[in-house]
Amino acid sequence: MKRDENRKRSGFTLIELLLAASITAVLSGILVITVVQILGIWSRSGGAVAATGEATRILDQLAQDLDAAVLRPDANSWLVGTVQRDQSGVGDTGMTDADWTGLTKPAGVASLRLGAGDLRIDQLRFGQAGLWLRFFTIEPDANDSATNRSLPRAVAYQIVRRRSGARHAYQLFRSQVRPGGTNSTFSSGYDLLASAYVTPNGSEQHPGNIRRPNARFLLGNHVIDFGARIFVQGAGGATTLAFPFSAEAGQSFVATAGTSSIPGYASRPVVRGWPVTVQVMVRILTEEGARLISNLETGRVAVPAGQSYDSYWWELAEAHSLVQVRTITPRARVP
Amino acid sequence: MHASPDSFSVRRRGFALLLVIVVLGFLVLIVVTLATHLRIEQAVALRRFQVEQARRHALTGLSLAVGQLQREAGSDRQSIAGAPMLGAVAANKTHWVGVWGPDGNTPRWLVSSSDPDQPNPLSLAYAQPVTLVGSASAEVSAGATNDPDQVRVDLIAVTVPAALVPGWSEAGDPVIGRTAYWVGDESGKLPALLRDERSALVGEAPPNPWTALDLSALWGGFDLHATGVQGALAKVVAYGQLGYVDSTAFSAARLRRNFHRVTVVSRSVLSNPAGGGLKQEGQPDGSRAYGTAEAPRYDEQFYIRNPPTGTDPDHLPVALFSVHRANGVVPPSAELSGPRASARLLIAGGINLNTVSDDVTIQRERWRAILSAARTVRFPSGEQRTLSSGELDALASQLTALRFRAAYPDVGKAAFAPFGGVGQFARSGLLQAAIDATMINQGRTALSPDRIDQADLLATLAPILLVRSDTFLVRAYGEARDPFRAESLGEAWCEAVVQRLPDYVDPADDPWAAPVSVDNELLGRRFVVTSFRWLTAADL
């Protein structure tokens, strides 16, 4: 009896062990594969959800601003949109920690695909730093004093590539100038092409914020493109596409009855009119996309043989980003 | 003292239990954290949705307001006045605006109403009132419900078909929200902003009554015409910005006090309220004849140029115009003069003479300011006379609400109805009676060269006087509601300036010509939103 008990306690046979090990290995393998797949899906969907939320938040803010856009039929420039083709040349925001040097989102034609109405807006590219859109609006719930509440203020939307340690981030800023007081919208006037609004000054309360946003005005992360199609009322009352008006080069839209040219962009074409509808787009990288683009720009990932940097940058960007579009109709019309 | 196998086993089981409890506790913590996170995200998303829904309902109110304006006030032959034209009204209905047709019958009120078929909502008690102008906008005591500067209107339910709300089993359609609107009269206010865009365009700088308009009494003696102020005033596009021009004169308290009395956005169509259509540019054939009962052309003609040689150019009224840019396009200069220029011009400002107030101070201040525009009277003889402050005060005091509400049967004006034209106002002799009741002509005979009669004043004032309004301030309210629990989920407010233009609703018809299109016959000239902003409760 005792010997039998000892035998029972002596453990597993080799075959049992091998079988158990094999089953465990197979199960572990399946588990690992499943977990990796689930984590991948989780990461991608989580990234997409986060990017969607970011895009929705940006477009909600823009919709609220454009809803209450202030437009008057005079020679001032009330709304200006400029395609920023190349940040190494004209149009650099000059933000203190802005950095468009080295490998970046491609400048020039690689990031310009403006179409002539034949492409959907989510297929367009609005230049290296996207559209620089600025206008006057009335913000209802700004954290201002009572005397500054719900009155016209200048706002600007623009993308800045910022350096943070060894890495870079593409961020969308919504800078604003307070309604009244020193260096305010009221004291600077309503001409967005006047020097007050085009001379960079990143102080938080300065009209130069329209050109150089203060860091406090960050609106969204991983925004690699931002653009708009602007429709005006044509002859006979029909709504027609006014901007972008050509597939090439930087170009601007100005809501004005005047003829001013854009400082710094004098050689680029301009179309003038009064917007009745604005279709806006924002392209946002997922977290994974941001990591991949960062690796490409820092040289950790090599460009595949036979492919140019510019095309590979956009291939990665388009595969790991999402585009949200919204059509907004400013409620006030120019009489 | 060695532990027996049994006690060892018990200790091991205890350890396992502890381990299981720790693991379970950890799992519960994870589940609770996830649930809380999801609940917060859901609450944020729901809140955003509810605010958006409330905003949609506010926009519905705005659309209803613009639609009612178009329907009731698009035609040229309408008169517009505030509720005090009817006599005593509830204080918080003082700033309701009514539209009278050419027959002068019962007005239609430009507010949301819980009973749209009720012909006179002024007489009704509120069913479900909401405040649209309160203590942040106007001179209203905090917490008041029946203040003369306050504006309250009734709510309208926003319903959807029952089939759209799963689980709805009660009678009637579910109420998913409420909306309300009020249409305020900007042309009934005194204009504080006067820019002559036409002059800038065609290089003409005509004399005009606005340059003498004196609003200083409303702003603590501040002179709006002072050098250095005009540049800042020209930048004002919203009433609240007046505070940036001079924070003392336009203090927050004064801005609230004058909210219903001063405007910076009013513009008026050169239309003929008496006969319909647009006014025609004309040349007066005698300065003193202009404005008499025999030449009642105030409603039919306007003047933008100096008169023919032989008349006194300074005597002629030249109003201040603003160019109407249809679709933002500047019309050719040739279209800015000539008989049909009224299709391309708007009066910058324009004052509705039918706006009355039972508050004696307000009524006097208002007419004191209007009369100041004609303070210097130039006579055909070449002489001129400037009315003293005392004379202006005396004259303004005589122009009480009572006189405007009276019947003038000789010219077809009923009691408690507005004037149907500036010509009718002149023929009624109301202004002449006010002059006669003062001492301003004391010691002068009918033949005295400097005797002032109403024609002398109207010669300057008529081009800026109106019997209707073309600019309106609309405030709308929206609320999202839970149809099951009848609870408010979110609120929103918006404000818009709505402008009537010379163009017809249907652009097929020439603004100058009589309407051919049925739409234009019914709806008249087009209203557009020229300014829009969202408000918060703190802005009301």
Side-chain angles (χ1 to χ4, degrees):
Chain A
M1 280 295 284
K2 199 171 184 181
R3 214 168 63 195
D4 284 349
E5 280 177 10
N6 286 343
R7 187 190 264 168
K8 269 184 196 170
R9 286 187 175 192
S10 63
F12 303 102
T13 64
L14 182 62
I15 291 175
E16 283 172 338
L17 271 175
L18 283 174
L19 195 64
S22 307
I23 291 170
T24 306
V26 170
L27 285 176
S28 303
I30 291 171
L31 196 65
V32 167
I33 290 167
T34 308
V35 166
V36 166
Q37 281 181 341
I38 288 173
L39 282 177
I41 292 167
W42 177 272
S43 168
R44 279 194 298 277
S45 62
V49 166
T52 305
E54 191 87 330
T56 303
R57 204 168 49 75
I58 290 167
L59 293 181
D60 282 350
Q61 179 68 58
L62 187 57
Q64 177 173 294
D65 284 346
L66 278 172
D67 245 4
V70 181
L71 300 166
R72 291 288 182 279
D74 59 28
N76 287 323
S77 300
W78 292 88
L79 179 147
V80 185
T82 303
V83 171
Q84 300 182 113
R85 188 181 67 164
D86 182 357
Q87 284 297 290
S88 63
V90 292
D92 194 327
T93 63
M95 193 178 189
T96 312
D97 49 358
D99 186 358
W100 290 92
T101 57
L103 293 174
T104 67
K105 178 183 172 185
V109 291
S111 293
L112 274 178
R113 190 196 284 159
L114 296 172
D118 52 337
L119 295 173
R120 294 194 317 269
I121 190 170
D122 59 341
Q123 298 172 313
L124 303 189
R125 297 174 186 172
F126 283 86
Q128 189 181 29
L131 186 72
W132 174 26
L133 181 68
R134 58 272 198 209
F135 53 96
F136 298 95
T137 186
I138 301 174
E139 189 178 351
D141 46 9
N143 186 24
D144 284 325
S145 64
T147 51
N148 261 343
R149 189 180 291 133
S150 299
L151 289 170
R153 70 179 68 216
V155 297
Y157 287 80
Q158 59 185 316
I159 294 173
V160 177
R161 182 177 185 263
R162 294 177 76 195
R163 185 180 56 246
S164 173
R167 299 188 64 163
H168 289 85
Y170 293 90
Q171 298 178 321
L172 182 70
F173 286 80
R174 174 192 177 271
S175 40
Q176 56 163 295
V177 184
R178 62 185 173 157
T182 310
N183 289 327
S184 65
T185 300
F186 188 77
S187 68
S188 306
Y190 304 113
D191 191 354
L192 286 164
L193 301 183
S195 64
Y197 294 112
V198 298
T199 309
N201 188 316
S203 303
E204 192 179 324
Q205 293 186 339
H206 197 282
N209 256 289
I210 296 301
R211 175 69 281 189
R212 177 191 291 177
N214 182 277
R216 198 179 73 81
F217 295 131
L218 174 66
L219 181 63
N221 274 308
H222 305 321
V223 180
I224 51 169
D225 209 358
F226 169 71
R229 270 183 173 157
I230 301 175
F231 297 82
V232 299
Q233 195 162 29
T239 300
T240 56
L241 177 67
F243 175 87
F245 51 88
S246 83
E248 52 189 66
Q251 53 194 283
S252 292
F253 175 92
V254 186
T256 183
T259 54
S260 302
S261 58
I262 317 278
Y265 292 80
S267 60
R268 305 270 168 79
V270 175
V271 64
R272 298 177 179 86
W274 302 101
V276 292
T277 299
V278 183
Q279 190 181 39
V280 292
M281 67 82 86
V282 59
R283 182 183 285 279
I284 298 189
L285 289 171
T286 61
E287 286 291 342
E288 188 188 4
R291 187 178 53 78
L292 291 171
I293 289 287
S294 178
N295 286 343
L296 177 66
E297 291 183 355
T298 50
R300 291 194 198 105
V301 170
V303 177
Q307 199 168 2
S308 72
Y309 169 84
D310 288 0
S311 69
Y312 188 57
W313 192 98
W314 270 106
E315 187 182 309
L316 276 181
E318 288 182 334
H320 298 279
S321 65
L322 62 86
V323 178
Q324 268 205 17
V325 175
R326 198 171 300 180
T327 301
I328 305 161
T329 302
R331 303 203 177 272
R333 296 285 295 274
V334 171
Chain B
M1 291 303 288
H2 289 290
S4 69
D6 282 353
S7 68
F8 180 73
S9 165
V10 167
R11 206 187 301 157
R12 279 186 65 182
R13 279 206 296 274
F15 176 75
L17 183 65
L18 194 66
L19 197 67
V20 166
I21 288 171
V22 168
V23 169
L24 276 178
F26 188 64
L27 285 175
V28 167
L29 192 67
I30 289 175
V31 169
V32 168
T33 308
L34 277 174
T36 309
H37 183 68
L38 281 176
R39 210 173 58 206
I40 291 170
E41 286 215 334
Q42 194 184 18
V44 169
L46 190 64
R47 178 71 194 140
R48 187 186 291 166
F49 173 76
Q50 288 162 348
V51 169
E52 186 55 32
Q53 196 181 14
R55 284 192 165 186
R56 294 286 144 197
H57 293 162
L59 291 174
T60 302
L62 175 59
S63 297
L64 288 172
V66 177
Q68 196 192 4
L69 264 173
Q70 190 67 70
R71 196 173 60 244
E72 307 290 352
S75 160
D76 292 326
R77 298 192 63 202
Q78 312 281 22
S79 301
I80 290 175
M85 181 57 77
L86 292 189
V89 293
N92 54 26
K93 293 181 179 176
T94 301
H95 295 286
W96 283 25
V97 176
V99 182
W100 279 258
D103 52 7
N105 288 336
T106 315
R108 307 286 293 181
W109 297 98
L110 301 173
V111 291
S112 54
S113 171
S114 53
D115 180 5
D117 297 327
Q118 165 60 238
N120 186 11
L122 274 179
S123 63
L124 286 181
Y126 287 112
Q128 293 174 312
V130 64
T131 299
L132 291 181
V133 176
S135 56
S137 302
E139 197 173 43
V140 176
S141 311
T145 57
N146 197 26
D147 196 294
D149 270 6
Q150 189 177 37
V151 174
R152 303 189 95 200
V153 292
D154 254 334
L155 288 159
I156 310 171
V158 179
T159 59
V160 291
L164 293 181
V165 179
W168 183 258
S169 57
E170 294 176 36
D173 288 334
V175 176
I176 59 160
R178 299 190 295 186
T179 186
Y181 66 85
W182 162 70
V183 178
D185 177 4
E186 288 296 296
S187 308
K189 302 177 182 176
L190 297 163
L193 246 203
L194 307 160
R195 279 195 290 173
D196 188 347
E197 294 175 37
R198 183 178 182 276
S199 299
L201 276 175
V202 298
E204 187 176 327
N208 66 70
W210 298 128
T211 55
L213 188 76
D214 179 10
L215 302 186
S216 60
L218 281 75
W219 304 111
F222 186 78
D223 181 8
L224 276 75
H225 302 288
T227 311
V229 175
Q230 286 291 303
L233 275 176
K235 289 196 285 188
V236 173
V237 295
Y239 178 72
Q241 289 181 313
L242 284 172
Y244 301 148
V245 175
D246 186 300
S247 59
T248 307
F250 302 98
S251 65
R254 284 206 187 110
L255 285 171
R256 284 196 296 273
R257 180 180 182 274
N258 294 325
F259 176 79
H260 290 297
R261 275 139 227 151
V262 175
T263 180
V264 299
V265 293
S266 122
R267 289 175 185 216
S268 314
V269 177
L270 285 152
S271 60
N272 174 1
L278 294 178
K279 292 184 180 184
Q280 186 168 4
E281 189 195 4
Q283 301 295 344
D285 50 8
S287 54
R288 202 154 173 106
Y290 179 77
T292 64
E294 293 73 35
R297 293 174 299 155
Y298 300 116
D299 299 313
E300 292 81 12
Q301 292 194 332
F302 73 106
Y303 306 95
I304 56 173
R305 285 176 172 276
N306 288 337
T309 313
T311 58
D312 175 10
D314 286 336
H315 187 90
L316 291 165
V318 183
L320 193 89
F321 296 103
S322 157
V323 175
H324 164 47
R325 297 176 164 97
N327 297 335
V329 178
V330 181
S333 293
E335 293 185 12
L336 296 177
S337 58
R340 299 184 177 188
S342 48
R344 297 283 178 263
L345 297 172
L346 293 163
I347 304 171
I351 302 172
N352 186 349
L353 62 87
N354 285 318
T355 302
V356 295
S357 171
D358 278 320
D359 184 317
V360 176
T361 308
I362 291 171
Q363 179 82 2
R364 190 175 58 234
E365 273 183 355
R366 175 181 160 75
W367 275 102
R368 171 74 167 70
I370 296 171
L371 291 165
S372 68
R375 181 174 200 162
T376 300
V377 180
R378 293 185 176 85
F379 300 97
S381 61
E383 289 188 53
Q384 70 177 49
R385 178 180 163 196
T386 301
L387 290 166
S388 70
S389 289
E391 287 170 331
L392 286 177
D393 286 340
L395 198 48
S397 295
Q398 291 298 324
L399 294 168
T400 65
L402 221 54
R403 288 180 184 268
F404 285 82
R405 285 202 290 257
Y408 295 91
D410 292 350
V411 294
K413 180 191 176 295
F416 303 107
F419 285 102
V422 178
Q424 190 187 51
F425 170 70
R427 292 193 302 277
S428 74
L430 184 155
L431 184 56
Q432 187 62 52
I435 293 170
D436 294 343
T438 67
M439 311 290 275
I440 64 172
N441 284 324
Q442 192 182 29
R444 295 176 176 85
T445 67
L447 297 174
S448 298
D450 63 347
R451 180 189 168 87
I452 291 174
D453 64 25
Q454 72 165 12
D456 297 308
L457 299 179
L458 285 176
T460 302
L461 294 179
I464 59 169
L465 289 181
L466 315 162
V467 294
R468 60 163 299 141
S469 303
D470 290 323
T471 310
F472 299 89
L473 183 79
V474 178
R475 279 197 175 176
Y477 167 81
E479 181 192 37
R481 285 180 81 77
D482 180 336
F484 294 98
R485 289 184 287 180
E487 282 178 1
S488 179
L489 301 173
E491 295 179 300
W493 297 263
C494 66
E495 181 186 278
V497 174
V498 183
Q499 177 67 52
R500 182 171 174 260
L501 299 175
D503 308 329
Y504 283 117
V505 170
D506 178 355
D509 285 342
D510 184 339
W512 174 258
V516 176
S517 147
V518 177
D519 286 347
N520 292 338
E521 271 190 55
L522 285 173
L523 302 172
R525 304 190 188 276
R526 189 157 57 99
F527 281 92
V528 296
V529 173
T530 57
S531 169
F532 174 89
R533 61 175 181 158
W534 291 108
L535 300 175
T536 63
D539 293 312
L540 296 179

